[in-house]
Amino acid sequence: QVQLVESGGGLVQPGGSLRLSCVASGSIFSISDMGWYRQAPGKERDLVATITNGGTENYADSVKGRFTISRGNAKTTVYLQMNSLKPDDTAVYYCIARKLYSKLVYWGKGTLVTVSS
């Protein structure tokens, strides 16, 4: 019903920056919250950041002060600006979206971010 496509991942040196993008398509009406999760090798999939339709932002402690989540005006895109990247940020990053009054969460396929010298 909703398709999410991420882009912007790649290889970056420690201390560098990347901006991830996610575009929602398909049945995009009533999309409410959007955000990002990540899964590092051998680790559980953890929340990175979320943003509500009203613009309220929420961040994992590990990325506070370094990452910024934002949305396009149409509310069908979400971005993650990642600064001061660390090797521990290496993970597959997944875009998520939820519709108003729904428990169903839509997931993208993920984009790999590798932070290494």
Side-chain angles (χ1 to χ4, degrees), residues 24-44:
S25 62
S27 183
I28 60 174
F29 62 89
S30 298
I31 287 180
S32 182
D33 302 342
M34 297 187 75
W36 296 90
Y37 274 71
R38 69 185 181 185
Q39 187 167 25
K43 301 290 187 178
E44 296 295 318

Side-chain angles (χ1 to χ4, degrees), residues 38 40-41 43 62 66 85-91 93 115:
R38 69 185 181 185
K43 301 290 187 178
S62 58
R66 300 188 297 119
L85 283 162
K86 305 174 180 179
D88 285 349
D89 295 319
T90 296
Y93 285 72
V115 184

Side-chain angles (χ1 to χ4, degrees), residues 22-85:
C22 175
V23 179
S25 62
S27 183
I28 60 174
F29 62 89
S30 298
I31 287 180
S32 182
D33 302 342
M34 297 187 75
W36 296 90
Y37 274 71
R38 69 185 181 185
Q39 187 167 25
K43 301 290 187 178
E44 296 295 318
R45 187 168 56 191
D46 292 325
L47 171 73
V48 177
T50 59
I51 184 167
T52 69
N53 200 46
T56 301
E57 303 163 30
N58 185 269
Y59 298 93
D61 289 340
S62 58
V63 306
K64 285 181 180 177
R66 300 188 297 119
F67 291 10
T68 303
I69 191 169
S70 61
R71 294 179 74 166
N73 291 334
K75 308 297 184 183
T76 55
T77 58
V78 64
Y79 307 95
L80 187 69
Q81 179 66 48
M82 305 184 294
N83 299 325
S84 302
L85 283 162

Side-chain angles (χ1 to χ4, degrees), residues 17 35 69 96 105:
S17 298
I69 191 169
I96 59 167
V105 178

